[in-house]
Amino acid sequence: MTRSGGCQCGAVRYEAVGEPQHHAVCHCADCRASAGAPLVAWMAIAEDQVRVTRGQTTTYVGKTGARRQFCPGCGTGLFYTNAEMLPGIIDIQSATLDTAADEVPGAQIQVAERLPWIDDLTALHRFERYPGQ
Ligand SMILES: [Zn+2]
Ligand SMILES: [Zn+2]
């Protein structure tokens, strides 16, 4: 199967072929800081099965040698690689896939670092759009 995806502004597009090795929602502080969001979903695929088909990413190299690639124009996070910890693997921020709604994660990881209120998220009142509408 070939999946495609890209950033918010459309400058960067990519394709991933084959089946993912895993797909998980990560609660770690590093992902949180990078995304500016409570959690990030990642789909792991063999590095040679993913290619950028349009544009170019910019890379931020973190303390642990982790490389986070994002669109230089709009800032959307796209890929994570860590040659030491995850050799041969590229993690795709799966919410950037065109098929994101159909890609159900199989697990939650780094739960030890989660924001404490995340456990009660489903108990919060839900508005289809915004309050008062
Ligand atoms: Zn972009
Ligand atoms: Zn993480």
Side-chain angles (χ1 to χ4, degrees):
M1 162 170 196
T2 299
R3 292 173 169 84
S4 56
C7 67
Q8 185 176 21
C9 78
V12 179
R13 295 287 300 167
Y14 64 85
E15 270 183 8
V17 297
E19 289 313 302
Q21 302 187 3
H22 44 84
H23 182 201
V25 173
C26 186
H27 291 272
C28 84
D30 199 49
C31 285
R32 184 158 63 244
S34 171
L39 41 78
V40 182
W42 296 102
M43 181 178 282
I45 297 193
E47 206 162 11
D48 59 2
Q49 290 179 300
V50 178
R51 67 185 185 100
V52 172
T53 55
R54 184 200 300 162
Q56 271 190 327
T57 59
T58 294
T59 301
Y60 171 75
V61 182
K63 295 185 287 282
T64 61
R67 301 171 68 85
R68 292 181 183 268
Q69 296 181 52
F70 57 95
C71 172
C74 69
T76 300
L78 295 164
F79 309 123
Y80 173 101
T81 52
N82 189 324
E84 234 174 73
M85 288 175 59
L86 298 165
I89 298 292
I90 186 163
D91 269 325
I92 297 171
Q93 283 198 208
S94 63
T96 66
L97 288 163
D98 298 337
T99 51
D102 303 321
E103 309 282 2
V104 183
Q108 300 183 62
I109 58 173
Q110 299 276 44
V111 169
E113 293 184 17
R114 74 192 182 281
L115 293 175
W117 49 261
I118 209 87
D119 293 347
D120 301 321
L121 204 57
T122 55
L124 296 181
H125 193 83
R126 295 157 62 112
F127 298 94
E128 196 64 28
R129 297 295 179 190
Y130 301 102
Q133 290 185 329

